[in-house]
C-alpha cells in the first residue's frame, strides 16, 4: 500500500509518501510546498491543489491521509488550514483516490506511542520507523510522513455483512 500523507497549511503544506509491504515501511519521498503570504488566497489554494494533483498523478497512491485541524488554533489559522485541507481533498477526489483523516493525537500515538508527543519526538520517531538517514527537514514533512505511517499501519475497517 502506498500512502500520501499531508500536513495541510497555506503557508507551508508538508507531504510525504510511505510504502507499506509485508509490514515493512519505507519512505518514497517527502517535502514541503510553500506559498507567499501576500499572494491571493485563491492562488495559494490552487498551488496546493496543483501540487497534490501532480504528486498523486506521479506516484499513484492507494490513499491520501491528512491530519485533522487542530481545534486549539486561532480562528484565522483554522480557516486557512481548513481551506488547504479542502484543496487537498478535492485534488485527491478528482483523481479517484480515497482519503482518510486522523486526529493529531492518534497520529502521535501511532508513531510515538504517546498521543501528546512533542514535534521533536515525532521527527525522531519518523526517522527511526522509516530508517531515514536524517530527520525530515521540517516539522511539516515529519507530520506528513507520520500521518502516512498512521494510515499504513491502521487496521482495516471491519465490513459489516447483514
Amino acid at each position: 500500500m502506498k500512502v500520501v500523507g499531508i500536513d495541510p497549511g497555506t503557508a507551508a503544506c508538508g507531504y510525504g509518501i510511505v510504502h507499506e509491504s509485508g509490514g515493512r515501511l519505507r519512505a518514497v519521498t517527502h517535502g514541503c510546498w510553500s506559498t507567499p503570504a501576500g499572494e491571493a488566497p485563491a492562488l495559494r489554494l490552487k498551488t496546493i491543489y496543483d501540487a497534490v494533483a501532480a504528486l498523486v498523478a506521479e506516484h499513484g497512491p492507494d490513499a491520501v491521509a491528512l491530519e485533522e485541524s487542530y481545534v486549539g488554533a486561532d480562528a484565522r489559522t483554522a480557516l486557512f488550514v481548513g481551506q488547504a485541507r479542502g484543496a487537498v481533498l478535492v485534488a485527491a477526489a478528482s483523481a479517484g483516490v480515497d482519503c482518510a483523516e486522523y486526529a493529531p493525537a492518534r497520529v502521535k500515538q501511532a508513531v510515538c506511542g504517546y498521543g501528546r508527543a512533542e514535534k521533536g519526538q515525532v521527527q525522531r520517531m519518523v526517522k527511526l520507523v522509516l530508517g531515514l538517514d536524517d530527520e525530515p527537514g521540517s516539522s511539516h514533512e515529519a507530520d506528513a510522513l507520520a500521518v502516512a505511517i498512521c494510515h499504513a499501519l491502521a487496521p482495516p475497517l471491519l465490513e459489516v455483512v447483514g
Side-chain angles (χ1 to χ4, degrees):
M1 169 190 298
K2 193 184 294 183
V3 181
V4 172
I6 301 286
D7 177 37
T10 50
C13 186
Y15 67 90
I17 301 178
V18 169
H19 185 260
E20 183 277 331
S21 180
R24 293 183 171 277
L25 295 171
R26 72 173 175 83
V28 176
T29 188
H30 56 90
C32 191
W33 304 300
S34 58
T35 61
E39 192 170 55
L43 294 176
R44 294 176 87 179
L45 295 173
K46 183 179 181 323
T47 297
I48 294 166
Y49 172 90
D50 290 344
V52 172
L55 195 66
V56 167
E58 179 181 349
H59 293 279
D62 300 295
V64 171
L66 297 96
E67 198 168 75
E68 291 176 351
S69 295
Y70 174 63
V71 212
D74 66 68
R76 185 174 168 90
T77 301
L79 176 65
F80 288 134
V81 171
Q83 290 174 335
R85 287 177 65 244
V88 171
L89 291 170
V90 171
S94 294
V97 178
D98 291 334
C99 290
E101 297 180 71
Y102 296 93
R106 181 166 177 198
V107 173
K108 291 175 182 178
Q109 178 71 38
V111 175
C112 299
Y114 177 59
R116 292 187 171 192
E118 301 286 329
K119 288 203 174 283
Q121 289 173 288
V122 173
Q123 285 180 293
R124 286 188 297 280
M125 286 305 296
V126 163
K127 176 187 179 224
L128 289 172
V129 168
L130 296 174
L132 300 173
D133 292 334
D134 298 305
E135 290 179 9
S138 72
S139 64
H140 302 293
E141 291 174 53
D143 288 351
L145 286 167
V147 76
I149 291 167
C150 179
H151 185 79
L153 297 178
L157 296 174
L158 297 176
E159 186 177 318
V160 178
V161 179

